[in-house]
Amino acid sequence: MSKDIAQAPSHLDELEAESIHIFREVAASFRRPVMLYSIGKDSSVLLHLLRKAFHPAKPPFPLLHVDTTWKFREMIAFRDRVAADGDVEVLVHINQDGVRQGISPLTHGATVHTDIMKTQGLKQALDKYQFDAAIGGARRDEEKSRAKERVFSFRNAQHRWDPKHQRPEFWHTYNTQIRKGESVRVFPLSNWTEMDVWQYIRREAIPVVPLYFAKPRPVVARDGALIMVDDERFTLREGEQVETRMVRFRTLGCYPLTGAVESGAATLDEIIQEMADSRSSERQGRVIDHDPTASMERKKQEGYF
Amino acid sequence: MGAANANRTGQGLLRFITCGSVDDGKSTLLGRLLYDAGMVPEDQLAALRRDSQRLHADAGDALDFALLTDGLDAEREQGITIDVAYRYFHTARRHFIVADCPGHEQYTRNMATGASNAELAVVLVDARKGLLPQTRRHSYICSLLGIRQVVLAVNKMDLVGCDERVYREIADAYRTLARTLGIAKVDCLPVIAPGGDNVGTRSARLSWYQGPTLLELLEAADATPARAADFRMPVQWVNRPDQGFRGYAGTICGGRVAKGDEVVVQPGVQRACIERIVTADGDLQDAGEGQAVTLCLDRELDASRGDVIADALRPAPVADQFACHVVWLGDNALLPNRTYWLKIGARTVNARVMSIKHKVDVNTQAKLAARHLELNEVGSCTIGLDEAIAFEPYATNRTLGGFILIDRQSNATVACGMLDFALTRSANVHWQHVDVDKSVRGAGMGQRPLCLWFTGLSGAGKSTIANLVEKRLHTLGHHTYLLDGDNVRHGINKDLGFTPEDRVENIRRIGEVAHLMVDAGLIVLVSAISPYRSERRSVRELFDEGEFVEVFVDTPLAECEQRDPKGLYRKARAGEIRNFTGIDAPYEAPEAPEVHLHTAGDRAERLAEQLTEQLLERFVAPADDGDSVA
Ligand SMILES: Nc1nc2c(ncn2[C@@H]2O[C@H](COP(=O)(O)OP(=O)(O)O)[C@@H](O)[C@H]2O)c(=O)[nH]1
């Protein structure tokens, strides 16, 4: 027995059951669902729950990765291993318009890059495959403005989120009715915290990208964040130098936009311990959130998760 | 052994809701609770220190804990709906999910949302003000949504000199109130939110209070109060990867089930035994409420999404008419007799509120007469479904007793409701089978029965055209009947006026009469304004495929007003008639009528001629099955 049941707090069972219920509701209610797969820890948990919800059948819908072309190389390798497992189809979409324009977070900045490669890319993919339900890994504890997000979040035919017309949700009885062209975003991990995610990963022995574990890595201190030099596209500014530091990541995204934290936590137990002691919140590492022109509400209205 | 089978020790998750009026100190208390539970990370604490000093320069180093949870002012400015916000925290002993409802106008809706998943409510009162009408309202909504435990926190005790007598009076008054609302368990305590007194730690200022702190009460609260223990599971999804496996996936919403147990698939009566309880972590011997499992039965039977698998010895009651309570959330009022979708468990059926017995004043619980329910109103109603369902009273099972209503035009969630009990009359009236049916009767008359439904503004030409069409059909030897909306109002509908709720009922009755006549084999022509899409759709659904032909008599309002054959537009413009369609009542044009007649610039005779040709060709006498009928 590899799982550490003695340590498993029973609230994880409740969260797991609630998420499985949501997955099944999506499968039963929508024509063409998809699970958005961002390769991070939340996506790893989502994938695990997706498999559990439909066991012994294979997952009844595919995964979609919107590749901004600036993800960490280790993330892409991890994604490709998941695809090789064979039980679930992994679709990859890249916004080719953005590639042609040469959009880069280094030259265009976080906001433009994220909008074109991520938000627009996602819309393109949803339109291309005609998905009517897109499952994502967002949690309400991530950020104040998410605290009131619905589990089933309605989007109009232009993928826009209308904060004034959100459907109230009662019990676990979700309103899944939509018209042609409209869609929903579904968040099965709504009620999970970052700590729940890590404890569940430990309990269930779920594989995650190694970047979450501390290791000596080449980093540059830039704008108050530690940015990892992941490939040759990263060019140094004057006065900057690459140093090797013991770091890990709390969230994963595009490497030039994702700050590392100095840490010695190299195992799941150490990560959980570090979090229990830690005194800073998860999104600190996200460069994109510090961009003052890009409030989360606005990004959400525009179709970003 | 798999995780799902792990021993459920410990306290489990507690979901609770916080209620208070503006400025009672709810945000401060919640912020303090998070802080005392050690949930405020250093970067947030630094921000809090900064913001507190900026906003309250005179308050020294005191922290304003309300800033931790507020965050909603910004949204208010942006015009974003303020509703339920969820927060998460844990102590060494337990995990918590708090539903925080800061709305004011939308308070009923928001509280009902938050309370629907909560087992406990923390009700806050300001010691200086004591119980307010809002306290009563909050407690009523909690009890309506099934919360049976309340913690009453009497806040701002410092502002009443930490006087025990003040606290006692408020606590006693609240216990009395709670009893009248059916709230079984009440714990009271005095607190001072900013200082954290009796929040996470005991208070020296309030040393006369010897009981547990707020955190201790929450840690000890019962998260799964005893409910009816009979096994129930709504089928969410039929899992059929291949011929060899067929499992019914769902979340158990009552009782326990074990391998070998006999179960019944409801609302039907087919029985089977549990062969396997499948999870991804391996099969289980037994499983209980809250677990998401997949059940395999020992024989093939016909179960699908929305059915309920229940203990065969103690099955759930089955009915199609109920007494219930409804919280209305729609921008448009609830109209009795309009058809909505009702979703309960995994099942979605058509439903109509048959009558509003009374509405309930949420502040006083007084019963008031009502013909419709507006946004945020609560009503005691009877509701009828077009299919029977397995259910439980809400008080014993939230999943099988709680439902939402969905508007069939807008898809909006327009109500949440709680089933109280089944009306026995539904169970005793059965559908009588008859041998001579519609097709036999129709064949006897040499025609296919049909309903031609003319809709359009007053004066659009519905009656004129319908009349001409009937004459033509009659000449051709068809058996017809023309139901004119105006004429019907002299008889079967003479008790109805022109309010929205009466218009709904008017069309429902005309639809039912037309349906009977079609059943009798006739070609029925209905001429009625029938302004609402929703009701036209309900009427359509009474008929079989191809039997209902919606004819939109499309005449611009200006043209109708100019014709004004009965002088009604003139009166409506003069304010002598109210609720006149097109003037001060809406007309919702058909989106996809079978026939769309533009009348402007054409004579009624010609239109009727063309229409009759079309009808004969497309609907009345299709060539191929005409042979078999005759
Ligand atoms: N003296 C005193 N002031 C309090 C107490 N609790 C809250 N307050 C103050 O009452 C005001 C309203 O508090 P807030 O938490 O924003 O109320 P809310 O509208 O219920 O969320 C603020 O100025 C708080 O600092 C208390 O126990 N004692």
Side-chain angles (χ1 to χ4, degrees):
Chain A
M1 194 175 75
S2 62
K3 288 175 200 165
D4 197 353
I5 287 163
Q7 276 191 36
S10 67
H11 84 284
L12 290 180
D13 293 335
E14 291 186 45
L15 293 174
E16 178 189 77
E18 181 178 77
S19 301
I20 288 175
H21 178 86
I22 294 165
F23 270 110
R24 289 171 172 171
E25 206 59 12
V26 172
S29 311
F30 293 90
R31 236 175 356 91
R32 219 167 143 51
V34 67
M35 191 186 105
L36 302 178
Y37 181 70
S38 70
I39 325 178
K41 61 183 188 303
D42 303 307
S43 285
S44 287
V45 168
L46 271 186
L47 176 57
H48 187 75
L49 291 165
L50 171 69
R51 287 173 166 145
K52 278 198 171 192
F54 301 103
H55 172 87
K58 289 180 186 166
F61 40 81
L63 311 190
L64 168 68
H65 177 227
V66 178
D67 191 345
T68 61
T69 74
W70 287 88
K71 299 294 172 192
F72 290 92
R73 283 174 301 165
E74 280 184 82
M75 290 173 72
I76 300 302
F78 187 90
R79 176 195 75 193
D80 294 343
R81 278 201 301 282
V82 166
D85 287 346
D87 65 329
V88 45
E89 188 187 358
V90 181
L91 307 169
V92 176
H93 180 81
I94 296 177
N95 180 353
Q96 296 299 345
D97 300 338
V99 171
R100 268 189 296 276
Q101 294 167 48
I103 298 296
S104 140
L106 296 172
T107 46
H108 297 83
T111 309
V112 170
H113 169 75
T114 305
D115 176 55
I116 294 181
M117 297 310 288
K118 187 165 172 173
T119 309
Q120 302 304 329
L122 175 61
K123 287 185 200 173
Q124 285 172 353
L126 295 179
D127 287 340
K128 172 172 163 198
Y129 295 102
Q130 299 281 297
F131 292 123
D132 55 353
I135 295 169
R139 292 175 279 110
R140 287 184 183 137
D141 85 321
E142 274 176 60
E143 218 244 334
K144 260 190 192 172
S145 80
R146 284 218 170 123
K148 60 192 168 41
E149 178 65 279
R150 301 296 193 267
V151 176
F152 282 72
S153 179
F154 177 80
R155 305 298 153 105
N156 69 13
Q158 286 73 49
H159 304 290
R160 287 185 76 91
W161 178 74
D162 179 353
K164 290 194 188 116
H165 290 100
Q166 291 207 84
R167 297 172 177 174
E169 285 178 343
F170 298 88
W171 309 287
H172 293 100
T173 309
Y174 303 106
N175 177 353
T176 54
Q177 302 288 344
I178 54 168
R179 282 187 240 198
K180 207 167 155 20
E182 297 169 342
S183 63
V184 294
R185 304 286 164 89
V186 185
F187 305 111
L189 303 184
S190 286
N191 285 327
W192 296 55
T193 64
E194 188 186 11
M195 185 60 123
D196 297 330
V197 165
W198 280 116
Q199 287 185 339
Y200 188 71
I201 286 171
R202 177 172 68 179
R203 182 178 100 170
E204 304 281 309
I206 300 171
V208 292
V209 181
L211 292 162
Y212 287 113
F213 302 103
K215 211 175 95 167
R217 294 188 167 95
V219 292
V220 167
R222 176 178 290 182
D223 303 333
L226 288 177
I227 303 298
M228 177 167 148
V229 182
D230 197 47
D231 61 32
E232 69 297 333
R233 288 179 294 181
F234 192 89
T235 44
L236 294 180
R237 293 181 193 156
E238 209 173 290
E240 282 180 347
Q241 62 188 35
V242 181
E243 9 172 11
T244 300
R245 291 213 214 165
M246 190 73 172
V247 294
R248 64 180 205 88
F249 295 86
R250 280 183 79 174
T251 61
L252 292 179
C254 297
Y255 83 81
L257 300 177
T258 309
V261 290
E262 292 200 85
S263 162
T267 65
L268 284 173
D269 284 340
E270 285 165 2
I271 287 178
I272 290 169
Q273 191 56 47
E274 183 185 273
M275 273 188 51
D277 303 339
S278 130
R279 312 274 64 206
S280 71
S281 50
E282 182 182 5
R283 298 185 82 86
Q284 220 186 15
R286 288 198 192 169
V287 174
I288 163 175
D289 290 341
H290 298 317
D291 190 331
T293 60
S295 91
M296 192 49 92
E297 291 290 357
R298 224 192 56 211
K299 278 181 287 179
K300 213 155 57 174
Q301 289 182 33
E302 285 160 2
Y304 174 87
F305 251 75
Chain B
M1 191 175 77
N5 206 14
N7 228 348
R8 292 175 163 248
T9 51
Q11 294 298 96
L13 195 59
L14 180 72
R15 296 174 197 244
F16 70 96
I17 174 174
T18 53
C19 337
S21 312
V22 190
D23 279 348
D24 281 351
K26 185 159 64 75
S27 314
T28 310
L29 185 74
L30 197 51
R32 184 70 211 204
L33 206 54
L34 298 180
Y35 176 78
D36 284 349
M39 298 306 294
V40 183
E42 209 129 78
D43 53 335
Q44 274 183 32
L45 204 58
L48 176 63
R49 218 166 270 135
R50 248 190 345 264
D51 292 347
S52 297
Q53 269 157 25
R54 186 165 52 79
L55 290 167
H56 316 283
D58 48 339
D61 296 339
L63 297 179
D64 181 357
F65 291 100
L67 296 174
L68 284 176
T69 54
D70 264 352
L72 290 151
D73 293 339
E75 297 168 4
R76 205 171 296 153
E77 280 155 26
Q78 290 170 40
I80 292 174
T81 322
I82 307 161
D83 52 23
V84 193
Y86 294 90
R87 328 236 171 234
Y88 304 83
F89 70 99
H90 63 265
T91 64
R93 293 175 57 195
R94 196 174 213 176
H95 288 253
F96 301 93
I97 301 180
V98 195
D100 182 20
C101 316
H104 303 300
E105 321 86 73
Q106 291 281 12
Y107 213 94
T108 301
R109 178 185 108 142
N110 297 342
M111 266 206 60
T113 306
S116 72
N117 283 317
E119 294 295 348
L120 178 147
V122 175
V123 174
L124 213 69
V125 298
D126 183 329
R128 296 169 304 177
K129 298 181 194 153
L131 303 191
L132 297 174
Q134 290 93 313
T135 318
R136 195 179 175 106
R137 164 163 45 144
H138 302 156
S139 304
Y140 169 66
I141 298 167
C142 286
S143 102
L144 184 66
L145 270 291
I147 293 180
R148 296 286 170 262
Q149 325 174 53
V150 166
V151 173
L152 180 80
V154 182
N155 189 30
K156 306 199 184 179
M157 284 303 298
D158 53 327
L159 301 181
V160 294
C162 296
D163 185 346
E164 182 177 3
R165 264 202 343 262
V166 175
Y167 163 73
R168 290 260 162 252
E169 268 168 32
I170 295 174
D172 288 345
Y174 189 78
R175 283 181 208 281
T176 308
L177 168 64
R179 241 188 326 271
T180 67
L181 294 174
I183 295 168
K185 186 169 179 353
V186 177
D187 290 290
C188 303
L189 81 169
V191 298
I192 302 168
D197 300 57
N198 288 338
V199 177
T201 49
R202 224 153 291 273
S203 161
R205 290 186 273 183
L206 303 166
S207 59
W208 43 264
Y209 172 78
Q210 300 290 321
T213 62
L214 180 57
L215 259 184
E216 286 166 348
L217 280 171
L218 294 173
E219 282 180 333
D222 189 357
T224 48
R227 294 220 179 95
D230 299 329
F231 167 67
R232 308 282 183 255
M233 190 193 89
V235 175
Q236 241 191 316
W237 164 263
V238 181
N239 194 340
R240 257 205 121 168
D242 53 56
Q243 289 303 312
F245 186 91
R246 185 190 189 97
Y248 300 103
T251 304
I252 298 173
C253 69
R256 294 195 73 78
V257 67
K259 243 177 95 166
D261 283 358
E262 195 184 5
V263 293
V264 55
V265 178
Q266 297 190 287
V269 293
Q270 300 179 87
R271 292 172 175 233
C273 290
I274 302 286
E275 193 172 68
R276 293 177 61 193
I277 303 173
V278 178
T279 78
D281 297 296
D283 281 14
L284 307 179
Q285 286 304 311
D286 65 343
E289 185 173 339
Q291 280 178 277
V293 294
T294 302
L295 302 178
C296 297
L297 305 180
D298 67 346
R299 71 204 67 158
E300 286 261 321
L301 43 73
D302 184 23
S304 52
R305 173 171 164 86
D307 288 341
V308 174
I309 300 181
D311 184 339
L313 295 178
R314 286 182 298 276
V318 172
D320 63 0
Q321 291 186 16
F322 305 90
C324 64
H325 279 79
V326 166
V327 180
W328 192 253
L329 315 161
D331 292 331
N332 301 318
L334 160 69
L335 299 180
N337 288 314
R338 172 166 285 186
T339 304
Y340 300 94
W341 281 310
L342 176 146
K343 185 172 181 188
I344 183 165
R347 182 151 201 151
T348 304
V349 296
N350 286 330
R352 287 187 300 115
V353 170
M354 300 182 298
S355 67
I356 300 173
K357 289 193 280 185
H358 55 81
K359 65 180 179 189
V360 181
D361 181 320
V362 290
N363 290 323
T364 63
Q365 287 80 60
K367 296 173 179 176
L368 308 170
R371 300 206 62 184
H372 53 247
L373 288 182
E374 303 278 357
L375 180 64
N376 283 315
E377 288 187 333
V378 177
S380 167
C381 306
T382 58
I383 194 163
L385 318 185
D386 66 359
E387 294 167 61
I389 57 164
F391 78 103
E392 294 283 358
Y394 183 75
T396 56
N397 189 317
R398 288 191 189 184
T399 306
L400 292 182
F403 62 86
I404 58 172
L405 294 180
I406 300 169
D407 185 282
R408 300 196 309 165
Q409 301 301 324
S410 68
N411 287 331
T413 303
V414 288
C416 74
M418 284 67 62
L419 298 179
D420 298 324
F421 52 85
L423 302 178
T424 46
R425 61 177 182 243
S426 64
N428 298 331
V429 184
H430 295 284
W431 188 258
Q432 190 65 43
H433 174 78
V434 291
D435 287 322
V436 179
D437 68 10
K438 181 166 55 186
S439 61
V440 176
R441 294 186 198 105
M445 302 181 202
Q447 65 188 22
R448 223 181 68 176
L450 198 65
C451 176
L452 303 174
W453 188 280
F454 294 81
T455 173
L457 295 170
S458 174
K462 299 181 296 297
S463 300
T464 313
I465 296 173
N467 197 21
L468 290 166
V469 172
E470 187 184 26
K471 273 207 292 210
R472 283 274 298 154
L473 289 172
H474 187 76
T475 320
L476 292 169
H478 288 289
H479 299 258
T480 58
Y481 190 86
L482 174 58
L483 263 174
D484 190 278
D486 285 340
N487 298 349
V488 170
R489 281 185 179 275
H490 291 294
I492 185 172
N493 286 353
K494 82 166 157 216
D495 56 328
L496 300 176
F498 293 89
T499 61
E501 43 273 46
D502 281 358
R503 285 179 189 270
V504 168
E505 176 63 8
N506 180 44
I507 296 306
R508 188 188 72 82
R509 289 189 201 166
I510 295 177
E512 290 288 354
V513 171
H515 181 230
L516 286 175
M517 291 183 162
V518 165
D519 203 51
L522 299 178
I523 294 173
V524 183
L525 300 91
V526 176
S527 157
I529 299 174
S530 44
Y532 303 141
R533 260 178 223 138
S534 182
E535 276 58 50
R536 292 195 302 265
R537 172 168 174 179
S538 298
V539 170
R540 175 186 293 273
E541 285 168 357
L542 293 172
F543 293 91
D544 290 342
E545 189 69 29
E547 219 174 61
F548 181 83
V549 178
E550 188 173 8
V551 182
F552 178 23
V553 183
D554 189 358
T555 309
L557 178 64
E559 171 82 19
C560 295
E561 267 201 87
Q562 208 197 332
R563 293 181 192 165
D564 205 7
K566 301 170 202 159
L568 295 173
Y569 283 98
R570 194 179 40 75
K571 287 190 191 164
R573 286 286 183 208
E576 292 163 34
I577 318 179
R578 300 235 154 262
N579 297 328
F580 195 79
T581 303
I583 307 298
D584 59 346
Y587 178 78
E588 299 168 5
E591 280 166 340
E594 275 77 7
V595 180
H596 192 154
L597 293 180
H598 296 276
T599 69
D602 225 333
R603 285 185 316 121
E605 286 74 14
R606 231 178 63 89
L607 286 166
E609 191 83 7
Q610 286 171 351
L611 178 56
T612 315
E613 292 315 315
Q614 246 196 68
L615 291 172
L616 289 172
E617 219 169 281
R618 279 171 64 195
F619 305 102
V620 179
D624 40 356
D625 67 53
D627 291 343
S628 61
V629 165

